[in-house]
Amino acid sequence: MFGPDDAFLTTIIKLLRQLPVYPMFGRGLTRLQPAYAEDVAEAIGRTMQRAETPSPVFEFGGPRVYSYEEFLRAVAYQAGLAPRLIPIPLAVWHVLAWASEMFPSPLLTGNQVELMQIDTVSSPEMPGFVELGISPRSVEAILQKTLSSC
């Protein structure tokens, strides 16, 4: 999920602005389908209002599937940046996470690295936004609001 003042998109924007070279998880091939937090909240509200018992399981994904590299480039483009993305092997990220977790407030965790190793996209066989009458908003449509707050 993404939205203004989130820990995901806001962090990426800040790092893209600060770093001349952006270290990418692996080769940037992990697939992401980010959903806007307000769309997910609306979907949860509509799901709670449904009379079905038991309620079906829903999967909410945004309107576009990106590779991690495509996502970074799309965010950078919207922010007017042209970063140099450098692939860093996931094994290196695991070591960095292990070292970071020794501190009280780790900058990187093993769970975060593990999440970047698996695709996080919704299944087309599962009900989602469409079944609830919601047209999910894209990262690009929301990004300007987020950029102004970073």
Side-chain angles (χ1 to χ4, degrees), residues 6 8 13 32-33 37 41 44 54-55 67 75 80 88 92-93 110 129 135:
D6 69 359
F8 176 62
I13 293 167
L32 312 167
Q33 190 177 8
I44 291 169
S55 180
S67 70
V75 170
I88 305 292
V92 173
W93 287 106
F129 286 123
S135 186

Side-chain angles (χ1 to χ4, degrees), residues 15-17 19-22 72-73 75-77 80-86:
L15 289 173
L16 284 169
R17 285 179 172 161
L19 301 174
V21 174
Y22 189 92
L72 291 173
R73 291 196 187 283
V75 170
Y77 177 79
L81 303 168
R84 183 158 181 219
L85 304 177
I86 302 296

Side-chain angles (χ1 to χ4, degrees), residues 59-105:
E59 289 189 11
F60 303 120
R64 179 174 171 197
V65 175
Y66 303 82
S67 70
Y68 182 56
E69 181 178 2
E70 289 171 336
F71 181 75
L72 291 173
R73 291 196 187 283
V75 170
Y77 177 79
Q78 291 287 316
L81 303 168
R84 183 158 181 219
L85 304 177
I86 302 296
I88 305 292
L90 289 164
V92 173
W93 287 106
H94 279 288
V95 171
L96 291 171
W98 175 80
S100 179
E101 287 177 333
M102 292 182 187
F103 296 98
S105 298

